[in-house]
Structures are given as C-alpha cells and as structure tokens.
Amino acid sequence: MTPTTPRTDLPWPSRRGLLAGAALGAVTLVALPGLPTVAVPVGRDRNRFLSEEQLATLAAVVDRVVPGEDGTPGALEAGAHESIDALLGAFRTDPPRIYAGGPFSDRAGSRVNHFERFLPLDAYEQRAWRGKVRRFQRVYTAGLDALAASTPGFATLPGPARDLVLQTSQDPAVTAMTGLAVTHAFEGTWGAPEYGGNRDTLGWQAIGFEGDRQPRGYTEDEVLNPPLEPLPVLDVTGALAAYGPALALATSEASMGLLAPADGDARVLADRVQALLGGAAGVLDDVAAGVRDGDPGGALQELLGGVLGGKQARR
C-alpha cells in the first residue's frame, strides 16, 4: 500500500473514531508484499506461529482495522499483527508468553524491565490458555488461508478494496478470523509492548497516553496541578453503535459482561452492544413519554429494574 492510496469511505470505524474510543482506555526485517517493512521477533525466544504468507495477509487485515491516517501510525506500524502471531505461538517458549511480569518496566527509570519476565502458569491456567490458543490458531490459519485463496494478492490490494473483501465475504472461516482480528488488533495497537505490539509505544503516543510511569511516578505538582486538556465531546450512543468493540475494550469492569461471552470475537461483541442499545432505546422512549405526560415513574422504574438485572427499583 503506497502513501497515496485513497482512504476508504466504507462503514468501518474511522481512524478518528477509534482513537476517541481508545482514549476513553534481535529483530530481523521481513518484507511483506506491497506493505512497509516490519520487524518480526527472532532469537532464542522466537515464538512465531504463522507462515510468512499468513503473516503478510494478517498484516493487511489489521491495517484496515486501525489504519494509519493523517501521519498517525496505525495497527500495522504498531506491529499488531506481530502481537497476534506472538499470542498464537505463546506456548513455544517456557514460560509461555501469556502474563507479563511486574511491577515495573524500564520506561520510567527502573534499571530492569520486569515486564519482560513472563510468569509461569499454574496447571489450571495452562489448560485454559492452551485450549484458547489452539482455538485461535485454528481460526487464524483457516481464515487467513481462505482469504488468500479466495482473493489472490489480497495483501497488495488498495485499502478500500481490502475493506470491501472483508466486509462482504460470506466464507465463515474468513468472517470468524476477522472477528478475532479486530479485537486482537486493538490489543496489539494499544497494549503493553512486551506482548509484541505497540512498537516503540507508537499506539500510546497516538492517543496521548504516557504509558506506565512507575517507579518514577508523578511529582506532587503533577498531581495537584495536572495540565488541563479538553476531552473530545462524544455522542456516546453513536460512538457505541459505530465503535462498540473498541469502546467496550477500553471501558471499565462493566464491559466484562459483554466481553466474556464474546470470547474475543468483535462480531459477537458488536451484536451484543447493538442489541443492548436497541433495548435501551425503547425504554428511554417510554421514559420520555412519561415525562411529557407528567408521570415518568413507571417507565423509569422499568429502566432502573433492567439496569439492576431485573430487580424492582424503589421509588
């Protein structure tokens, strides 16, 4: 893809929208066909899983999930595809590259990066994660191979053409792979660099996040007199509808109720968010009608009851 490739107008989340949602939350060079040269981890702890062809196709996919725009790097530049490859090969090292250690990285004064020392897994974690990673491996290999077979030269297509292929594919292997790739691309773009993505903290820099500050922490003046920066004014309902997966990954514990059943699949998560918004819209209309009639109590009680999980709200 060249710098002059026109950006897509198709209904994928825009670069600006994705950044707004996220703000709410020994290398060898390998030339990928038609794409910028990227860094791939090698050496004693090499944990690659995908073939070169599969990695090239995956790079072209994540590039459309969080595209670089207006000089701001996206998922491809941040190496999100490499973080996915690292996850798929997590059990090729000992300990597996699942849980990075702590408490400090070397990004703010520590002499040692504890994050680089991955933690050993207990028997339960080993079993649970092995099953999950095997499923991810099956989904990615089947989907990437099907995508490459159905659309020869996919990695070299212009961005809008790749969008069209991904959005219109009826192949269940491709759609399943795309659903996983969306959420994993978010994680690889904005997660800790030790997991293989967010190269040179490019993802954090793009959203104005300083990264982990310990052990230096913050000075008293930084705590008492933080710089005031205006936050973007978001249409929350519209943002949820358009960027549901990104927002759900970036928000608080409440989102876990949506994320857990989705098991990393952005399409399942988006469907759940849309259903939630659709149900809430009807109740809110009833509340508004009650306000106009001078008695919002019944509809408001129903709304609160739904939020509280079916419990009756007290007036």
Side-chain angles (χ1 to χ4, degrees), residues 53-258:
E53 294 75 14
Q54 290 168 336
L55 188 64
T57 303
L58 179 59
V61 171
V62 302
D63 178 52
R64 305 316 302 156
V65 177
V66 188
E69 193 170 90
D70 300 331
T72 303
L76 178 64
E77 292 81 6
H81 53 301
E82 295 172 17
S83 72
I84 296 172
D85 193 24
L87 174 61
L88 299 180
F91 284 90
R92 293 188 172 183
T93 64
D94 186 21
R97 297 176 67 86
I98 296 295
Y99 295 129
F104 305 133
S105 76
D106 58 358
R107 287 182 279 272
S110 173
R111 289 175 293 178
V112 178
N113 184 356
H114 301 105
F115 287 17
E116 291 180 337
R117 300 172 182 172
F118 279 71
L119 304 178
L121 305 182
D122 63 28
Y124 174 82
E125 292 169 333
Q126 281 269 358
R127 181 176 180 180
W129 272 104
R130 279 188 184 277
K132 185 183 289 286
V133 169
R134 284 173 184 150
R135 184 179 73 84
F136 290 162
Q137 290 172 345
R138 291 193 297 269
V139 171
Y140 274 109
T141 53
L144 292 170
D145 289 346
L147 181 59
S150 63
T151 310
F154 173 83
T156 64
L157 293 177
R162 280 179 275 150
D163 287 337
L164 185 61
V165 170
L166 293 172
Q167 293 177 69
T168 60
S169 175
Q170 300 299 310
D171 189 324
V174 174
T175 57
M177 179 276 298
T178 304
L180 278 183
V182 170
T183 52
H184 288 164
F186 294 155
E187 295 168 359
T189 304
W190 295 301
E194 285 72 22
Y195 291 100
N198 193 9
R199 183 188 299 128
D200 299 326
T201 70
L202 290 175
W204 287 347
Q205 294 175 45
I207 62 174
F209 177 54
E210 297 174 337
D212 47 313
R213 294 289 295 265
Q214 299 299 332
R216 186 183 77 78
Y218 295 88
T219 66
E220 182 178 5
D221 183 64
E222 287 173 329
V223 173
L224 296 178
N225 302 293
L228 299 179
E229 299 180 3
L231 295 175
V233 178
L234 297 177
D235 175 353
V236 177
T237 301
L240 275 172
Y243 317 119
L247 288 167
L249 284 171
T251 51
S252 67
E253 299 88 352
S255 66
M256 298 312 293
L258 293 172

Side-chain angles (χ1 to χ4, degrees), residues 279-293:
V283 177
L284 289 173
D285 287 342
D286 292 340
V287 173
V291 170
R292 289 194 299 270
D293 296 339

